[in-house]
Structure formats: structure tokens, C-alpha cells
Amino acid sequence: MIGFVLRRTGVIALTALCLTFIVFVLTNLQPNLEKLARTEASSRMSEAEVAAWIERNGYARPMPVRYGEWLGVVPGWTRAEGGTVTGRCTGRAPAPAEAPRFCGLLQGDWGYSTVFKLPVAAVVSRSLGHTGWLMLWVVIVMIPTSLVLGVLAGMREGSPTDRTLSTVAIVTTATPEYVSGVILIVLFASATSGLSPLLAEWGWISGRTLFNGTATAAMEGITFWNFALPVLTIALYGTGYIARMTRASMTEVMTAQYIRTARLKGVSFPQVVMRHALRNALIAPFTVIMLQFPWLLNGVVIVETLFNYKGFGWTLVQAAGNNDIELLLACSVVAVVVVLATQLISDIGYVLLNPRIRLA
Amino acid sequence: MTPWDPSQPILEIENLSISFFTRLREIPAVMDFSCNVMPGEAMGLVGESGCGKSTVALAVMRDLGRTGRITAGRIRFKGRDLVAMTDDELRHIRGSEIAMIYQEPMASLNPAMKVGAQLAEVPMIHEGIPRRAAWARARQIVADVRLPDPDRILQAYPHQLSGGQQQRIVIAMALMSKPALLILDEPTTALDVTVEAGIVDLVKALGAKYGTSMLFISHNLGLVLDVCDRITVMYSGEAVETGAVADVFDRMRHPYTQALFRSIPLPGADKTTRPLVAIPGNFPLPHERPPGCNFGPRCDYFVKGRCDAADVPMVPVPGDVRHETRCIRSAEIDWAAPPKAAKQAERTPVGDVVLRMEDLRKYYAVTKGLFGTGPTRVVKANETLSFEAREGETLAIVGESGCGKSTFAKVLMGLETATAGRILLYNQDIQDTPIEKRDTDTVSSVQMVFQNPFDTLNPSMTVGRQIIRALEIFGEGRSDADREARMLELLDLVKLPREFAGRMPRQLSGGQKQRVGIARAFAGGAKVVVADEPVSALDVSVQAAVTDLLMEIQRKNRTTLLFISHDLSIVRYLSDRVMVMYLGHVVELGTTDQVFSPPYHPYTEALLSAVPIADRKVQKKRIVLDGDIPSAMNPPPGCPFQTRCRWKSEVPGGLCDREVPPARTLAAGHQIKCHLPDAVLARMEPVIRIAAE
């Protein structure tokens, strides 16, 4: 087991290396660098000046070298010009002479965000903190709901319960977040339409709207009223999907011969479902749930922008929109690690659920 | 509730009718079925697939699914009507008073639950005993079903056990609450014969020990003779004959029962002098049953106007006790008359050697571990296979699963290449040529008939098109019209009507599909045909017809037939020579008479003894092998059979533990791989004796 985890961690590191290199190359293409030069120095620079700026700031050297620098395995560039020494690492130390030789990801130096004028590490950790809360609540709402829905629908295939729940699941999963988010806002968080004007008229709510239309306040303190809508928007989409998967797996298990064996042993129906069907039925959806996490990052981008919640998704949008190369790179590292880590958890969980698979 | 009188039947089924309701129509599955099971009695329910025998069993359990419904009749268990019971009452009876044993043990056990938990659950539900006591009971029952090391087994998951062990666990589960009635639905069909013999012994012993009544469902008449006291024969949803096993086997009074017995190969049947009599026609579909007697259209004694006039009731057979038949002419028919003189064929003389194997070996390297990083192990699927097959000869290859017979077929066909040794087809080496590199001639001259006709035909291509496709590949015929004509000839050859050319495989029955498979194999004028269990997936009544067809084509084309089978009855019936395999070794090779009479290889002896024979005149010596077939991954040292051999003590000096026995020639063309001295071999008695008539 430990050997397996170590091997998988190795694979994750390797994959992360490849993926970040691809992102690095794409964000460091020549037009991007020229754009960077113009935003950082002056937008009215001539072609020659741009080239000189790129040269002066160390962007002109070969791609692999620069990737190595960013990673922290190649010494940072230095440049002596007119008595002053500039370099990749000089900005991080009081005097150029004291600057470390390496400054990259491995040294904990993620670079400097041009948009937020802050070190990237600080930006990423702050936004990940916000998104962490969002994801936590999404998971708390989404997984139990979807599993219960899926199991209820799947235990008696074709019953009215099954038909109803399946319809609900299909509708929610077929509605993208940017649609469901807007609908939810209109219904519950608008002072002019939906439920809120009615409730306000009857005096049932003190404010003008039932829920808050933005989640900005949630960054200070999470309440039900400011956080329910963003959580619901993301969870709705995933709930339908996971519920469908669970239902499919459950219906298949319920027709298995060992379920008949259990029934004809005299096991009562609730016990058949709980003791015999559930564990077998959860094997397939478990992998799907874990695959769903990377998908949730998609939803996060939309929902955080929609509800103006300054988390990871919102930061990613800002970084991409403003050509903030180092922030963008950091975001991709985070995304890669999230994707691969969930896959590792998925594999381990699969083994725990399914006794037929044993890790060597 | 009145207490049940133990002198009354434990299970009474009266005029039971069951239908399945689909969106299109009502499909009657069982009609007017009656039978009684007395306490301690074993009732056999025999019939072909689709005759409704499993439906009866599920009706007794009241588990017909959402589409099945009991439309008429009563099922009384210990005097209480099961049909009228509520779900709650049923749950109390299921598992505690009526228990069921299923066909596929692997699928019937929960893969994600430990064996012990699955067993202990039964008394915990029904008797409310604490967990610890339930586990103790489970341990005791596991020991009762003769499983070694019960503590380890209780902690195991089903996939960690072998098929035979799993079936013993299913039996143990059924016995956990000491039920009064045990329903066994083809309990040994998925198992090997030697394992089957062990399970049958166990079931009989346990039935006697606990006084359990049994409803034993099977398509195998020999097995029913072994296990049951009474038998009910079913055909197309109806019971056609019921009575004591001795009465029905010796004095059958229904034409279907008689036809069934004449179509199975019993000792004494022979492909040239006493061929099997196949039942003509096909099993009627449930919604296409004929008026009157269901068996009418296939019956030799059919009289128009009487047999198809009205529904036929069950009538008692005069002179016998509790023996009934559903035939209005049972009193008129001369039951002792021998079968109509069947066409007799000349024994085909065998010709030159067509195929020769020399020291063929096939090893597989297997790596363990999820990423193939574990140690590499070698599976020796075939070890030093040497034999030759002649033109027009039938060579049977016999052995249980895992003995390497299918691997051998794959190597011969070119689906795998040999590790060492030679295969000579007409003196041409083919052992290293995979099928995609073989020339058309070689491919068309070595062909195969597959075990499962349901999976081997392309479901979206007409039958004619599939045969023409084979002709195209084999380069037969100059034009499309030529091939079309040749295809129709092939349909004639396999005795299918020519209009079948335009049909889809799903419109054909199993036997008809297998005929198409045979036509395809012979399309290129095959010289060597490997028939891998060609009839084991078919019903008994169809088996005889398909076997006969194979023999007839062989006679006509002088084909060499390699007949792979685990069914010794059919092997004895049709083969000229027999090769017995065990764990990759050929343990015995000789003519059919040599192999089927002493001296035997100890494994052959056990195999012969394990095969159930549906003939009361046959007396068998009972030899039950202990344990399972060892894994080919980890074969025992020395003789591969030494772990289960009952003669091992007769070999001096522990030779069996150390050395693989060399192939010894006993008589001309008869060789065995055994260390037993000649004196011991000479002492061996025949396993099967036919009592004087």
C-alpha cells in the first residue's frame, strides 16, 4: 500500500512537471512577453525598446532555461549593467550580493503578481482559502444529497420515485452554472423580481432580498444568507450527475444474483439495500465523485465571478485577463495537483471498497 | 394455525400456472403443474432450458419478479398456502424453512462481504441469536460441508475461493437455519465433473443427516438418478411425467421421456451400430405452443385429431404408485418396442497422418502486481504434448477446466504460437506461424467449431452473408454467384432449410446457430476441425442431432475431428481415440476402448467414476477426488496428479512426489503417464459395469 502511494506520488510529480512545462511554454510565448513588456514599462514603446526590455528582464533566453529558473533548479539570471546588478533573485533580498542563487518554486518563491502587486504565494493562498470554504460546503451539500437520491432512485428501477428523481437529476445536470446561478439570483436575491418583493411586502424579511446576491460578505464571515446561493449553484450541477451515476450502478447491483440470494435468505428490503447493495453500488460512483472535483473548479470560475467572491476561480480569471504570467502558472500548478491528488484518493478508496482489487 | 402433520407432504403444488406479462402479451411459462414432495424426499425436476423448471422453483420462493405472476393454483408448504402469504410471512420462511442453492456460486455470493458475515446473517435474522453465536454456528456448518480450515474460509472474500469451495459455501448458507425444504437449481452445472461428484455426495449426505426434503432441478438425468427418489419431467411449461425414479427410468410412459433417454449417449450406444435418436423439430416458443399435446408435433406416436384435440390431463399409470403421465395414448403404445431402425453407417477407415504434434509446449509468463513489477511466474499450460491424428479420425481431448485443452486449440489454430516443439500439418511446420501470417490454404484447412453458438455469429449479418464471407476469405468460388450456390449447398449439408440464408442469427435457435457455425467451419473444405465443446451449450435433445451432423459431415469429407470435451459419455459415443489431459500433461492416450477399460490412469479412473450416467443398469464404483485442481501457476512437484491420487501409496519410494512420470506404452497405441507398477495396474477393476439384462 505504502509502495503504491509512493509510486503514485512519483507519477503525480512527473505529470505535474510535464503539464506545468506546457503551461509555461504557452504563457511565455513571444506575443505574451511583448504584451507584458508594454504593460509593465510603457505602452508606447517601440519594437526595439520592447526587445531590449525583454532582453534586460531575462525573458530572451531559451525556454528550458527559464523553466528551470522558475522551477528553482537553474540559478537565477544576473546582469551587471552600469554598476548595478539586477537579476531574477535580486528583488527578494536587501542587497544584490545577498541574493540567493536559486529562486523558484522549489525554494518557495512563486514569483510576483503583476495584477495584485503582491507575491504570488500570498495571492494564491488567500484565494485558495476562500475557495476551500466554498468547496467544503459544496461537498457537504452535494455528496450526501446525490448519493441518497441515486440510491433511492436505483433501488426500485422504474418506480414513480425513480422516474421523479431521475427527471430532477437530469434537469439539474443539464443546466450550466451560469444559467442556474442567474435563475437563483432572480428568484431569491432580486429586490424587484422573484420571491423577495413578495416576502418583503408581507413583512417576513427585514432586508430587501431573501438571500444576498453577492458573496463578497462571505469572505469576512460565512452566513447561510450570503453563502447558500453560490454553494447551491455549484452543487446542483454535480448532484444531478453523481445521482445519475449512483442510480445506474444501484439498478445494476439490485439485479445481481447475490441480491436475490440475500432476498431469499429472508433479509428485509431495507437491509438488502443497506448491507448488501450499498457497498457494491458505491464502487463505480466513487470514482466519478473524485473525477467531479476537477470539474468543480470549472464551476468555481463561473460562480465566483457571478457572485463576486474573490477565490481561486476569480483570481484565475483576473490573472488570465491581465496577462499575469506567474500567477497563471501558479494557478495551473494548483489545478494539476488537485486533479492528480483526487485521482490518487479515488484509487485508494476504490481498493478499500472493492475487496477484489488488492494493491501489490 | 393448525400444526403441520409430518406424514403429510411438505410441499404440495396443485395445478400451478405462472405467466409473465410483457407489454405485448401474456406469456404462460408454467401450466397446470402439480407435484408433491414428502418429508425427507428428494424430488428431481428435469427438462430442457425454457421448460419452466426454474420458474417453478422461484414460484415456491415467491420471487417471480415484477413481471411474473401466479395465475392459478396453489403452493402449500407444510399445509400453509404460500400464494396467499404476505411479504412479512414470506420473509420468515425464506432462508429458515425453505432455502435455495443456485447455479452460479460466484454470482450468488456478495463480492464485498466476507463469507463468515454472509453465513452468520441467516441465523441472526431468523433466530435473533447474537453475532458471536452466529459466527460459531457458521464455523460448524463450514466444517460440515467439508471445507478445510474453516477459520480462514470465514474470513475470506468469495473471490478468494475456488468454484467448488464457493458452491460449498452456498450450500452451507442454505443449511444455516436447518431448513425443511432445499431447492437446488442446477447446483453443479458450472462446476467440473470431479468437483460435481464431491458436491453431489455432500448434498446427499447432508440431506440424510438433517432429513431435509429437496427439490432438485437439473437437465442432467444421470445426476437426478444419483440424487433423487422421485422425478418430474417437464416439457414446455407442463409436467409430462412424474413418478418414482425407478419407475420413470425403467418404465417411462410418456413419449418425451422416452425420446429424451434415447437421445443421450448411454454406455452401449455407438456412433456406427447404435446411433442416438435425435428428437425431430424444435422446442415450441411459449406463445407458439400447439393445440392439445405440446409435444405432439415432435412425437413419433402422434395421432391427428386425438392428440391435438384438447388439453391433455395427467393420468395415473395403472399398476404403479404415484406415477402419472400426460399422454392420452400411454396405454396403447408398445413401450418396449426398440427404436425404429436408425440408419447405420459404415465405420470410416482412418487414413494417413494429417496432423502431428511433437513435444509441444506452451508457457505463459505472468507478472503479478498492479504495475507488472512483481516477480514473473511461468504458467505451463501445455507440457510435452505429442500425438498424431489421422485422416477421418475423431480424437477426443478430455479434461477439466484448466487442463490446457483450450490452450492447445489456440496454438493449433495459430491464435498463439508454441513455446517449444512442433506442429506438423501435412509435414509442414505451423507452430510458429500466427494465424495472420498463415496462407489461406492453411487457414481454411484448420478450422474450429466454437462452444457457444450464441456469441460466435455476428448478430447484424444474415446467416447466408456470414457463410459467403467465410467463402470469400478462403478464396472459394470464382464469382459471387458461385459462392452463393456454394453457400446454399453448405446449408443443405448442415440440414438447414435454404431460406435460412436470409435470416438473422437472433431468429435461430441454439442448435440452428451451431449448424451455421459448422457450415462456416467446413466452408473452405477443412481438413482438421477442432470442435471445442460444440454441444455443451445446447439442450440434450438438440445435442444428439448436432453430434450426428458432425459425424456425418466427417464421414463424407474424411475430416480429422479434434473433439474437445469434458463430457465422457459423448466422448465414448463418438470418438475413435481419446487423450486425457491434466494440468497441461497428457496423462493417458489410447483408443476409446483402451481408455474406457482398465488399466486406467488414476485420473481417468476418477473422471469416469464422476460422470453421472442415466441408466439404472449401470453400476459404478464411486471414487470421489478430494480437493480442487491445483493451480497451473503453482503445480505440485513430481506427478501433477499426486495431490489427489488414491493410488499414490502403491508407488514405492515416494516417486510421485519427486518425478514427473514418463509416458509408458501399455499396449499398442495406449500410453499413460504413471509410476504405478504393472502389477498394480493389472489389479484395477472396471469403474462402470453394466448389469446383465
Side-chain angles (χ1 to χ4, degrees), chain B residues 399-421:
Chain B
E400 296 175 275
S401 53
C403 74
K405 52 193 198 297
S406 297
T407 304
F408 154 73
K410 280 185 195 162
V411 175
L412 175 59
M413 297 300 297
L415 298 172
E416 303 267 1
T417 52
T419 310

Side-chain angles (χ1 to χ4, degrees), chain B residues 306-308 311-313 315 325-332:
Chain B
R306 282 179 65 200
C307 293
D308 55 2
D311 282 349
V312 186
V315 289
T325 173
R326 196 184 288 274
C327 179
I328 48 170
R329 301 194 59 217
S330 62
E332 308 161 22

Side-chain angles (χ1 to χ4, degrees), chain B residues 379-409:
Chain B
V379 177
K380 298 178 176 175
N382 284 155
E383 272 279 45
T384 58
L385 223 62
S386 298
F387 66 90
E388 49 194 41
R390 292 166 182 275
E391 191 186 55
E393 183 184 47
T394 307
L395 175 66
I397 302 170
V398 180
E400 296 175 275
S401 53
C403 74
K405 52 193 198 297
S406 297
T407 304
F408 154 73

Side-chain angles (χ1 to χ4, degrees), chain A residues 39 91 100 125 139 188 218 223 239 288 292 303 311 333:
Chain A
T39 48
S125 63
V139 168
F188 300 114
T223 64
T239 303
V288 176
Q292 196 68 18
V303 168
V333 171

Side-chain angles (χ1 to χ4, degrees), chain A residues 15 38 44 60 77 83 107 111 149 158 195 213 247 320:
Chain A
T15 321
R38 290 209 159 90
R44 276 188 277 277
W77 57 271
Q107 286 75 35
L149 287 184
L195 277 181
R247 177 193 172 271

